[in-house]
Amino acid sequence: MSKKESLLVFRLSALGDVAMCVPVIRLLLAQYPFVEITLVTRPFFAPLFEDIPRVNIIGADVKDKHKGILGLWKLSKELQALPVTKVADLHNVLRTKIVSRFMQAIPKKHWKTIDKGRKEKKALVRAENKILKPLKTTHERYADVFKQLGFPIDLSAALPKRSYPIPEEILNENINGNTKKWIGFAPFAAHKSKMYPLELTEKTLALLQQENNYIVLLFGGGKQEVEQLSALSSKYSNVYSVAGKMSFTAELQLISNLDIMLSMDSGNGHLAAAYQVPVVTLWGATHPYAGFAPFLQPASQQLVPDLEKYPLLPTSIYGNKVVEGYEEVMCSIAPETVVTTLTEVLS
């Protein structure tokens, strides 16, 4: 019988990156039943892991209790009190490097850090001498860290599906009990270069209503997004906005009940994939080759702009770089193509 191992794992933010940890951690625990994990992350992300056995959450309150050098020292003291045998830094930022300095009791050979592949990502997005090829996925990079600690993971192994009751917040909506397929649609993203234009979003919704086989649930956050999605949903009988209507926990429960998620290059796609929901992703200035496609989603479900018309794509890893003449790249992904892809996956 293998000796019990207690791993400390760091992944503080952002939402999509934390969500990408979920399938990797589930597979690790399934393949190594003697391992348990303490995950250091933002308290908000805890619901993503609450149903996973042998995962304990330490909330890193980097805006208050654990803010600054003194706060990170306090965090390190809390962590040093744990029976940790090995550490996986899946974040590799200044904060985790500082904590590693404070936690010198753990030998360097038992502390492994993710290689983010910055050099090859830079080659992927540069304008001249671009090397357009698929890079190692973020999930594979996470798995590499655990492999260095002595726990190689088979990322293709099957896992039982995670599902939950439909949240009470939408029990009174017309969608509850409806036998039509449920499509989640998250048209927004952190940067404009990754968002589907409003007019194309409306056309996609109109085409889906014509099909008459689907219920569309609009996801988003923030006051402006909530208002825009509410206005959109009022135009169609089969479209409902759930933005701003439920807690994060309830939103995850709802996502687990979807038949498919249509997402930009954003956290919503990774949330759906964490619950084994098929995902169709629309890419703007970014590209799935950078390694941020949702977990185990095929290339046929990654819709990218016209690369002949926009040969410099991808121009950015995260979508935060604006290139003149590339403001409308998303417009080259036709709503008809989006709908056809959705219907093919659902059928």
Side-chain angles (χ1 to χ4, degrees), residues 191-297:
H191 302 287
K192 187 177 179 181
S193 68
K194 300 196 295 183
M195 291 174 7
Y196 207 40
L198 187 61
E199 62 272 20
L200 298 186
T201 294
E202 287 205 46
K203 189 171 182 181
T204 302
L205 293 174
L207 291 171
L208 288 171
Q209 177 152 293
Q210 290 176 17
E211 294 283 336
N212 199 33
N213 294 319
Y214 311 115
I215 292 291
V216 181
L217 305 176
L218 300 177
F219 289 81
K223 183 179 178 181
Q224 185 176 6
E225 289 185 15
V226 169
E227 291 175 352
Q228 288 180 302
L229 294 177
S230 178
L232 270 178
S233 65
S234 67
K235 299 179 181 181
Y236 304 96
S237 61
N238 69 326
V239 179
Y240 302 87
S241 173
V242 298
K245 295 183 178 180
M246 59 187 67
S247 66
F248 183 51
T249 297
E251 187 171 310
L252 294 177
Q253 293 172 348
L254 178 58
I255 287 174
S256 76
N257 284 278
L258 297 176
D259 293 290
I260 198 168
M261 171 67 85
L262 172 60
S263 172
M264 308 304 106
D265 172 19
S266 70
N268 287 284
H270 298 299
L271 292 177
Y275 292 90
Q276 291 138 298
V277 173
V279 182
V280 171
T281 308
L282 308 187
W283 301 82
T286 58
H287 196 282
Y289 279 6
F292 294 102
F295 188 59
L296 295 184
Q297 302 303 305

Side-chain angles (χ1 to χ4, degrees), residues 316-327:
S316 171
I317 294 297
Y318 304 109
N320 55 344
K321 182 180 179 181
V322 178
V323 175
E324 185 177 356
Y326 279 62
E327 297 86 357

Side-chain angles (χ1 to χ4, degrees), residues 70-92:
L70 180 58
L72 294 175
W73 180 81
K74 291 178 181 177
L75 176 61
S76 69
K77 290 301 178 184
E78 294 175 35
L79 300 177
Q80 285 185 127
L82 302 173
V84 172
T85 55
K86 296 178 180 178
V87 180
D89 181 359
L90 305 185
H91 203 166
N92 190 11

Side-chain angles (χ1 to χ4, degrees), residues 9 20 38 41 47 58 82 84 90 93 95 102 106 115 131 156 168 184 187 195-196 217 243 267 279 311 330:
V9 179
M20 282 189 278
T38 297
T41 190
I58 297 290
L82 302 173
V84 172
L90 305 185
V93 291
R95 285 192 180 102
F102 288 143
I106 299 176
D115 175 5
I131 302 177
S156 65
E168 293 183 1
M195 291 174 7
Y196 207 40
L217 305 176
V279 182
M330 273 286 200

